[in-house]
Amino acid sequence: MNNKTNQEVAPIYKNIIRLIALLTIIIMYTTKFYFLSLNTLLAYIPLELSFHIKDMRSPILQVILGCVWLLFFPNIPYLVTDIVHSDMLQLYNYADGSSLPSVRLWALLIALFLVIFAFNLWGFSELLKLARYFKDKFRIHPFVMRMIIGGICFLSAMGIYAGRFPPRLHSIYFLTDPLKVFDIIFLQWSQKKLEFVLLFFILHLGILTVLYIQNLLMERKFENI
């Protein structure tokens, strides 16, 4: 696919994501997974920001927008931890090993999976696109860029922990009480926190690895056409 075709497809791709995010926010609010409305909105914000960072002509605006994007990026992989709420549906009977034949509840479970899958696919794809953009723009060595991506993933893993475990932080706290956020995320450590941060860091690396393998498969596929 040439650059002209990419430019024609990009607005459609972005508008589809916007529509899906809007529908998810509206529909999920009326279900048992009402929490997914807010979490989807928070995961959508860094996606929308990533659509505009490369279009900014001012390097200063790019840096500012990039910092805001970095603050909200953890909300994307944070969605993975929402699987903890799937037990609310009580679809599986551990006594006899049977599953509840409820189409509505299974539809909710599938919707949860699709939201998690889609936003992580889109979010990490945009992360890699931004990395390639800044690597080319500032002529950053590939190894250095990999270290930067790794650093972003580690910071994101810390953000996931802060948002999931007590004292739970919300993204808005970055604006209302930044000193408290800094203290909780960077200064308060325990062995359990380190274990979870490393676990969530592995989650990031796993997603990136899957995307890397998928890109290799797609390139080979197009070579054979």
Side-chain angles (χ1 to χ4, degrees):
M1 190 177 290
N2 55 40
N3 291 334
K4 182 178 180 180
T5 305
N6 280 329
Q7 293 174 357
E8 293 172 349
V9 172
I12 300 175
Y13 155 77
K14 295 174 184 177
N15 288 332
I16 291 175
I17 291 179
R18 290 168 180 142
L19 178 61
I20 291 174
L22 179 61
L23 291 176
T24 301
I25 292 170
I26 294 173
I27 295 173
M28 298 309 292
Y29 187 73
T30 63
T31 71
K32 287 186 177 183
F33 288 165
Y34 59 88
F35 60 86
L36 201 56
S37 292
L38 176 60
N39 290 352
T40 298
L41 174 62
L42 293 174
Y44 166 72
I45 291 174
L47 269 177
E48 184 63 43
L49 291 174
S50 68
F51 296 158
H52 301 283
I53 291 176
K54 292 180 289 186
D55 296 332
M56 293 291 174
R57 295 184 178 180
S58 169
I60 296 177
L61 289 178
Q62 282 187 326
V63 171
I64 294 174
L65 207 59
C67 290
V68 178
W69 169 85
L70 183 60
L71 290 178
F72 280 92
F73 178 77
N75 290 296
I76 294 175
Y78 177 87
L79 285 172
V80 175
T81 68
D82 279 338
I83 59 177
V84 72
H85 298 294
S86 60
D87 62 348
M88 294 170 56
L89 302 178
Q90 298 180 338
L91 287 171
Y92 187 73
N93 188 333
Y94 289 92
D96 60 12
S98 63
S99 298
L100 183 66
S102 170
V103 174
R104 182 175 64 85
L105 295 182
W106 275 94
L108 274 178
L109 184 63
I110 291 172
L112 175 63
F113 165 76
L114 288 176
V115 170
I116 294 172
F117 172 77
F119 277 87
N120 275 276
L121 175 64
W122 297 331
F124 279 83
S125 294
E126 289 300 317
L127 165 62
L128 294 178
K129 288 179 183 178
L130 288 175
R132 283 193 293 268
Y133 169 77
F134 284 109
K135 180 176 73 69
D136 294 339
K137 181 175 182 178
F138 297 106
R139 298 180 180 178
I140 301 174
H141 191 277
F143 176 79
V144 175
M145 180 51 68
R146 293 190 189 100
M147 292 299 100
I148 293 174
I149 293 175
I152 291 173
C153 290
F154 191 80
L155 289 174
S156 179
M158 294 169 63
I160 295 175
Y161 179 87
R164 177 52 70 185
F165 298 99
R168 298 183 65 181
L169 294 179
H170 196 281
S171 295
I172 194 65
Y173 292 168
F174 282 103
L175 301 177
T176 60
D177 199 349
L179 292 180
K180 179 181 179 181
V181 171
F182 181 85
D183 178 64
I184 292 175
I185 293 180
F186 294 101
L187 302 182
Q188 296 184 19
W189 284 90
S190 65
Q191 180 180 342
K192 187 61 65 176
K193 176 178 179 178
L194 179 59
E195 290 172 354
F196 270 105
V197 169
L198 291 176
L199 179 63
F200 293 144
F201 179 65
I202 292 172
L203 167 67
H204 287 70
L205 297 183
I207 294 173
L208 289 172
T209 300
V210 170
L211 282 176
Y212 176 75
I213 294 173
Q214 178 62 21
N215 288 336
L216 290 179
L217 292 174
M218 292 300 295
E219 289 176 2
R220 182 171 298 178
K221 178 180 178 181
F222 285 117
E223 287 176 358
N224 295 330
I225 293 178

